[in-house]
Amino acid sequence: QVQLVESGGGLVQPGGSLRLSCVASRSIFSTHAMGWYRQAPGKQRELVAGINRGGTTNYADSVKGRFTISRDYPTNTLYLQMDSLKPEDTAIYYCKGTWGADDLWGQGTQVTVSS
């Protein structure tokens, strides 16, 4: 069973930056797509950023120009660079990978943006 482990969350002031990491226990080269999602209290989980096998990326309108998704094949790591953070970015952030017909999720990492 593939495992995804996120890290890098924490408390940051508005305007600050964080970089989230998601390490997979198997090669991410074979994934169809990977992405970062988030879920704020009382809200549904939403897609933040995604990247497909060909390297095409997509972002939620609310994070365009502020967040950047990237991956590193040798270390099987997916990243999310988050800049110019806002209080409304506060949520649990989850990594997801799709291997064949299987969608696999990490356990999540908390991001809190507050002064």
Side-chain angles (χ1 to χ4, degrees), residues 7 37 39 49 66 81 83 87-88 94 101 107:
S7 62
Y37 292 72
Q39 187 166 19
R66 300 189 297 120
Q81 177 66 41
D83 299 317
E88 51 263 43
Y94 299 90
Q107 83 289 350

Side-chain angles (χ1 to χ4, degrees), residues 33-87:
M34 297 193 76
W36 287 97
Y37 292 72
R38 68 186 180 188
Q39 187 166 19
K43 294 187 177 181
Q44 289 189 333
R45 191 173 297 189
E46 62 174 356
L47 174 68
V48 175
I51 185 167
N52 67 13
R53 179 176 291 171
T56 300
T57 59
N58 62 290
Y59 296 91
D61 287 343
S62 59
V63 307
K64 282 180 181 176
R66 300 189 297 120
F67 290 10
T68 304
I69 189 171
S70 63
R71 62 192 174 194
D72 182 65
Y73 285 139
T75 60
N76 295 316
T77 304
L78 182 73
Y79 296 103
L80 184 68
Q81 177 66 41
M82 305 187 294
D83 299 317
S84 302
L85 282 161
K86 303 175 181 180

Side-chain angles (χ1 to χ4, degrees), residues 1-5 22-28 34 75-77 99 104:
Q1 179 75 358
V2 179
Q3 288 186 316
L4 300 175
V5 180
C22 170
V23 180
S25 60
R26 64 175 285 188
S27 173
I28 64 171
M34 297 193 76
T75 60
N76 295 316
T77 304
W99 280 265
L104 299 172

